[in-house]
Amino acid sequence: MQNMENSSKPQVKIHKVSAGFVYFFGALGGLLFGYDTGVISGAILFIERQLHLDSWQQGWVVSAVLLGAILGAAVIGPMSDRFGRRKLVLLSAIIFFVGAIGSAFSPEFWTLILSRIILGMAVGAASALIPTYLAELSPADKRGSMSSLFQLMVMTGIFLAYVTNYGLSGFYSGWRWMLGFAAVPAALLFFGALILPESPRFLVKANKPEEAKQILKIMNKKNPGVVDSELADIKEQAAIKSGGWKELFGKLVRPSLVIGVGLAIFQQVMGCNTVLYYAPTIFTDVGFGVSAALIAHIGIGIFNVIVTAIAVAIMDKIDRRKMLNIGALGMGVSLLVMSFAMKFSGHSLTAGVICVIALTIYIAFFSATWGPVMWVMIGEVFPLNIRGLGNSFSSVINWSANMIVSLTFPPLLDFFGTGSLFIGYAVLCFASIWFVQKKVFETRNRSLEDIEETLRTRMAKSDAKNVEAHTSN
């Protein structure tokens, strides 16, 4: 009788949580991700004056979050395989809160750097953890849309950062409020995560199949046929021993690793964050005033959120590979138009208008395709026994590429000029189409277990071919 009571406890707790609640709070880490990476673009103008920073110190204040993100992504993913996705969401919320408060009250440069690194660890943790968490909770036919909520939250966070920067720019200590405001959604995430369910995949691996079944009922609208089938597939995959670095770089996972690393690198080297971070600089370079540039930046932020929301709605209606290819083509053409307008039209009004339109179209293609699809796919392609590690490794690569591109953009801009530099980014957009065609397999409307079975079938066929070739020789 007591065992029956114990087994019912998690069911009661789980039934209080709706699928909408799970998706909202699961993706809320993305809002903090976007806000904390976007807010520094405005805050640094005031930090520089009040803390008397030189150019080297300014660069470190901006880049400290990226360094922390690399560390956070490297540590949190493997920990989530061991301790569960939900506990690590809670830990990330605490780190977000501590980093935000520490940044707001920093009395001098080194305290601010340390606080920004701590904050970055939470940003990196969210990037490695949230896509996996959402992918494992979502039904196959809705996984793309639900997982891409993370990117929608990122863009919403960036937009809120732009608005906060503009609204607080008239206050002497406005930068402290800009950085400290992130503590509010961090606290909200913490209290929401207290009642979030654990991933059913992790629960099965932790020998809690009944809890996993209750969560699957909620996320699949209590369809018993789908729930039983999916639970059986999860049990089969969970029986496989958890893997480590050897398995991550092994033959079975190699196609997934190529996809994860390749998409992570291409998403950054196509220039997305340079355009998002340096849009005001680009606008002033083509003749806009500072105030007009900041207002245009807010306009781009609004547009970003709208386009990403559309992407969420269509994510499970269009193949992932097709979205990536269309996005890369649109981004490449937009960058070429923007580059030629900058290069050959001087500071004329026509050139400025063309640049703004081209840049806006570029961001639209990124926000609708590569922005969300990359995060969705790295949460899908890795087998269950190393999913956290694989997602973590891909996130580390993404943040490392982000840091390299962000740090090299200003000197490259000085050397090549905006006109020539963005031609280089356009070429990389076109190169990504070749990569997607050759290396990326489709994941839309497929269960995570079906994707994993495809990897095993591919390896078996490859081994059979090798044996046949060896025998014939």
Side-chain angles (χ1 to χ4, degrees):
M1 182 70 180
Q2 188 175 356
N3 288 338
M4 289 177 64
E5 290 176 2
N6 289 340
S7 65
S8 67
K9 285 181 181 178
Q11 297 180 23
V12 173
K13 181 179 179 181
I14 291 166
H15 275 300
K16 293 179 181 178
V17 181
S18 69
F21 180 95
V22 172
Y23 292 137
F24 175 78
F25 280 96
L28 188 59
L31 186 141
L32 284 156
F33 174 155
Y35 184 87
D36 288 317
T37 53
V39 73
I40 197 64
S41 62
I44 191 65
L45 301 173
F46 307 97
I47 297 171
E48 171 202 354
R49 292 202 297 266
Q50 289 188 27
L51 299 187
H52 309 291
L53 305 183
D54 58 31
S55 58
W56 178 85
Q57 290 173 318
Q58 291 175 51
W60 270 109
V61 169
V62 174
S63 302
V65 161
L66 301 179
L67 178 61
I70 295 171
L71 298 174
V75 172
I76 294 296
M79 286 176 63
S80 73
D81 281 340
R82 182 176 179 183
F83 298 107
R85 321 305 191 208
R86 176 181 164 274
K87 289 179 181 177
L88 273 299
V89 172
L90 279 166
L91 177 60
S92 298
I94 294 171
I95 299 173
F96 268 124
F97 188 87
V98 171
I101 295 298
S103 298
F105 287 96
S106 295
E108 40 73 47
F109 170 72
W110 288 109
T111 307
L112 180 58
I113 289 296
L114 179 60
S115 298
R116 295 279 292 164
I117 290 175
I118 292 171
L119 195 62
M121 290 181 68
V123 171
S127 70
L129 183 65
I130 301 299
T132 295
Y133 180 70
L134 292 174
E136 291 186 340
L137 281 165
S138 304
D141 62 341
K142 295 181 179 177
R143 193 174 58 243
S145 293
M146 295 305 101
S147 298
S148 59
L149 282 175
F150 175 73
Q151 182 68 13
L152 178 60
M153 286 290 199
V154 171
M155 293 304 170
T156 303
I158 291 174
F159 166 66
L160 288 176
Y162 294 164
V163 173
T164 304
N165 286 346
Y166 188 78
L168 295 172
S169 60
F171 295 90
Y172 177 74
S173 295
W175 68 270
R176 296 187 182 277
W177 288 97
M178 293 174 192
L179 300 182
F181 181 74
V184 176
L188 187 63
L189 175 62
F190 177 81
F191 289 112
L194 286 174
I195 51 177
L196 279 176
E198 182 53 83
S199 158
R201 271 82 180 173
F202 179 81
L203 287 172
V204 170
K205 286 186 72 69
N207 200 28
K208 297 179 180 178
E210 287 305 313
E211 287 186 45
K213 186 173 183 177
Q214 294 305 313
I215 296 168
L216 287 171
K217 283 182 179 180
I218 294 172
M219 307 314 291
N220 289 277
K221 295 187 177 179
K222 300 185 180 181
N223 184 327
V226 172
V227 169
D228 291 340
S229 174
E230 190 168 353
L231 187 62
D233 288 341
I234 293 172
K235 285 180 178 179
E236 183 179 342
Q237 302 297 339
I240 300 168
K241 184 180 178 182
S242 293
W245 292 104
K246 181 180 178 181
E247 286 75 18
L248 180 63
F249 291 99
K251 190 172 182 180
L252 169 67
V253 185
R254 195 170 299 152
S256 300
L257 188 63
V258 169
I259 291 172
V261 171
L263 294 182
I265 292 174
F266 271 113
Q267 192 206 49
Q268 294 300 323
V269 299
M270 290 189 292
C272 62
N273 281 323
T274 59
V275 171
L276 290 173
Y277 297 161
Y278 292 97
T281 302
I282 296 169
F283 290 150
T284 55
D285 281 352
V286 297
F288 284 83
V290 174
S291 179
L294 288 174
I295 293 172
H297 209 196
I298 292 175
I300 285 177
I302 296 172
F303 186 69
N304 238 341
V305 173
I306 293 171
V307 172
T308 307
I310 294 171
V312 171
I314 66 172
M315 185 64 66
D316 288 309
K317 296 179 174 64
I318 303 174
D319 287 349
R320 314 270 199 261
R321 294 170 78 245
K322 185 178 292 185
M323 290 183 73
L324 291 171
N325 286 333
I326 291 172
L329 181 62
M331 290 161 67
V333 172
S334 301
L335 286 178
L336 288 178
V337 172
M338 188 170 73
S339 296
F340 286 119
M342 288 177 170
K343 201 172 183 68
F344 299 113
S345 299
H347 279 69
S348 69
L349 177 62
T350 302
V353 170
I354 291 173
C355 286
V356 170
I357 293 173
L359 184 143
T360 304
I361 293 172
Y362 168 89
I363 290 176
F365 275 107
F366 172 78
S367 298
T369 59
W370 277 85
V373 172
M374 191 282 290
W375 293 112
V376 169
M377 292 198 74
I378 67 170
E380 293 176 324
V381 294
F382 290 100
L384 175 60
N385 67 326
I386 57 157
R387 186 166 294 142
L389 180 60
N391 206 334
S392 174
F393 185 77
S394 299
S395 297
V396 168
I397 296 297
N398 184 262
W399 282 109
S400 299
N402 186 339
M403 189 170 186
I404 292 169
V405 171
S406 298
L407 288 174
T408 56
F409 181 77
L412 288 174
L413 187 63
D414 290 339
F415 185 79
F416 290 106
T418 49
S420 299
L421 178 57
F422 284 108
I423 293 175
Y425 291 136
V427 170
L428 291 169
C429 288
F430 298 133
S432 72
I433 296 174
W434 172 87
F435 173 78
V436 170
Q437 288 296 109
K438 293 292 185 181
K439 302 296 183 181
V440 177
F441 55 77
E442 187 55 55
T443 58
R444 183 174 73 95
N445 282 346
R446 299 176 62 191
S447 71
L448 299 178
E449 290 67 40
D450 179 40
I451 294 169
E452 182 170 345
E453 185 58 35
T454 298
L455 291 173
R456 299 188 183 283
T457 302
R458 282 190 175 195
M459 187 178 74
K461 287 182 179 178
S462 176
D463 288 344
K465 284 183 179 179
N466 290 337
V467 170
E468 184 179 339
H470 182 73
T471 303
S472 63
N473 289 336

